[in-house]
Amino acid sequence: MKRKLLSLVCAVTMVASLLVGCGGATETADTGSADSGEAASTEASGDYADMKVGVCIYQFSDNFMTLFRNELQSYLISQGFAEGNISIVDGANDQATQTGQIDNFIASGVDVLIVNLVNSSSAPTITDKVVAAGIPLVYINREPDAEEEARWSENGWNVTYVGCDARQSGTMQGEMIVDVGLDKLDMNGNGKVDYIMIEGDPENVDAQYRTEFSVKALTDAGLEVNELADEVANWDQAQAQEKVQNALGMHGNDIEVVFCNNDAMALGALQSIQAAGRTVNEDIYLVGVDALTEVLEDVIAGTITGTVFNDHIAQSHSAADAAIKFATGGTNEYYIGCDYVKVTTENAQEVLDSLK
Ligand code: GAL
């Protein structure tokens, strides 16, 4: 297991060094609010200098999607896109707003669209209008359901999805808790692991799978579990802070583990845990997903038990590569995957260094 972990870290480190080599880590200003009419501030040199790409992000204030979109923009520029031809828009967590933005991109004649849906269930409507306009489409981060994905291959449409399998991240969260061992976990001595679950957007398969598979890893390892609370905090730090504060008020020392579907919520959970006078890795355990810098620092300091690296670098590059392939007349697989990496005190520093 350790060897596997180490090789995964090596893979992460290699990706990072490759990135520096190909200029993927270029720093660029946040043009999040740019629209397609804005003048280009960077001269593009490659073959794609005239190519226009529209990027729809479900919500700019989301920490992980901010890392993703900044890397996506840097990478597209490093591949030869003109900065002014990359339009990245904020769906403000509202599907109607995002659908309007997609209509505008279609009307302005972009060569390709990259879409992080607000609601995955809107995929059929969005796919239909984008395909009808003859524009290739790359979905990212929020996976449409199997029925929708089947339509793409059945019809031979230029539509794909780029993302990771959230079951893997949930399993890794659970495994990190299993590794702590029942002796340490079972502080109230009831023979069970008593936990609370803090969920992201419940419509999102990442939230559903992480919730299910984190706990499944415990039961698969033969541990008995007891769910004290299951709260929705929509991927958001402040909402998680409040939900965990309430749960601690209600269940107090009985809470042995806090599972958060992402790191932003783990940071909120940590604020409430500390405010309640509890100490992570001593009298409570806490895990997240994403590997945000702040959380990696907490894992190193021992104030968060562990996280899972959600590789925004590989995902954004794969999305850009797929978009380029479509826009230049090529085809893509209908699902383009990516592996998560478990992050504990053993490799957190290495992962942090690889992201700098
Ligand atoms: C997840 C990520 C969350 C949030 C969400 C948005 O993959 O872990 O932090 O960004 O995507 O859909």
Side-chain angles (χ1 to χ4, degrees), residues 36-263:
S36 34
E38 198 169 312
S41 57
T42 305
E43 281 295 314
S45 51
D47 294 332
Y48 315 126
D50 295 328
M51 203 168 267
K52 287 192 178 129
V53 52
V55 182
C56 296
I57 299 296
Y58 93 93
Q59 177 159 246
F60 274 11
S61 61
D62 181 293
N63 307 47
F64 173 73
M65 287 314 301
T66 300
L67 293 174
F68 194 122
R69 78 182 142 94
N70 288 342
E71 184 59 35
L72 178 63
Q73 186 190 39
S74 299
Y75 183 71
L76 283 166
I77 291 170
S78 78
Q79 297 304 296
F81 280 76
E83 190 173 339
N85 286 338
I86 306 167
S87 298
I88 308 180
V89 293
D90 182 3
N93 205 22
D94 180 65
Q95 189 57 58
T97 300
Q98 185 177 67
T99 304
Q101 291 167 335
I102 291 169
D103 289 337
N104 290 341
F105 276 137
I106 292 173
S108 73
V110 290
D111 296 292
V112 60
L113 272 168
I114 298 176
V115 177
N116 169 213
L117 288 165
V118 174
N119 297 326
S120 318
S121 56
S122 297
T125 318
I126 302 297
T127 302
D128 283 345
K129 64 167 73 189
V130 175
V131 166
I135 297 171
L137 175 58
V138 178
Y139 284 115
I140 53 168
N141 175 260
R142 292 187 158 186
E143 189 174 0
D145 63 20
E147 202 182 319
E148 165 64 5
E149 289 184 357
R151 291 198 314 141
W152 312 341
S153 53
E154 277 158 19
N155 293 291
W157 288 336
N158 281 344
V159 183
T160 186
Y161 171 73
V162 176
C164 303
D165 182 348
R167 286 172 282 207
Q168 188 187 35
S169 53
T171 301
M172 287 175 171
Q173 285 188 296
E175 286 171 351
M176 289 187 282
I177 296 301
V178 169
D179 286 346
V180 172
L182 186 64
D183 281 357
K184 280 191 178 168
L185 292 168
D186 187 20
M187 284 162 280
N188 65 7
N190 67 354
K192 299 175 185 172
V193 179
D194 299 275
Y195 70 90
I196 61 170
M197 180 66 65
I198 306 298
E199 294 196 35
D201 172 0
E203 210 227 81
N204 190 317
V205 343
D206 284 8
Q208 293 161 10
Y209 279 153
R210 287 175 193 163
T211 297
E212 182 186 344
F213 283 78
S214 53
V215 176
K216 187 173 179 296
L218 268 61
T219 53
D220 283 354
L223 295 174
E224 264 195 80
V225 295
N226 180 33
E227 182 181 272
L228 293 169
D230 183 355
E231 298 287 344
V232 170
N234 293 307
W235 306 119
D236 182 74
Q237 178 167 348
Q239 289 184 41
Q241 192 247 327
E242 196 192 317
K243 295 285 161 73
V244 174
Q245 185 181 32
N246 294 343
L248 284 165
M250 198 173 291
H251 304 286
N253 289 345
D254 273 335
I255 302 176
E256 295 160 344
V257 174
V258 180
F259 284 111
C260 293
N261 284 170
N262 79 343
D263 276 356

Side-chain angles (χ1 to χ4, degrees), residues 254-288:
D254 273 335
I255 302 176
E256 295 160 344
V257 174
V258 180
F259 284 111
C260 293
N261 284 170
N262 79 343
D263 276 356
M265 298 191 296
L267 288 169
L270 180 60
Q271 289 175 293
S272 296
I273 287 169
Q274 289 175 335
R278 306 280 297 272
T279 309
V280 171
N281 290 343
E282 283 183 23
D283 59 24
I284 194 163
Y285 294 84
L286 170 64
V287 286

Side-chain angles (χ1 to χ4, degrees), residues 269-347:
L270 180 60
Q271 289 175 293
S272 296
I273 287 169
Q274 289 175 335
R278 306 280 297 272
T279 309
V280 171
N281 290 343
E282 283 183 23
D283 59 24
I284 194 163
Y285 294 84
L286 170 64
V287 286
V289 175
D290 281 342
L292 299 180
T293 302
E294 255 179 291
V295 171
L296 288 171
E297 283 162 359
D298 279 314
V299 173
I300 293 163
T303 42
I304 288 185
T305 309
T307 184
V308 178
F309 178 41
N310 190 2
D311 193 340
H312 62 279
I313 299 171
Q315 289 173 75
S316 57
H317 293 198
S318 293
D321 290 342
I324 290 170
K325 219 163 176 198
F326 275 148
T328 52
T331 56
N332 288 290
E333 298 290 328
Y334 293 100
Y335 179 92
I336 300 169
C338 166
D339 272 324
Y340 284 101
V341 180
K342 197 186 284 184
V343 185
T344 64
T345 39
E346 284 184 44
N347 63 344

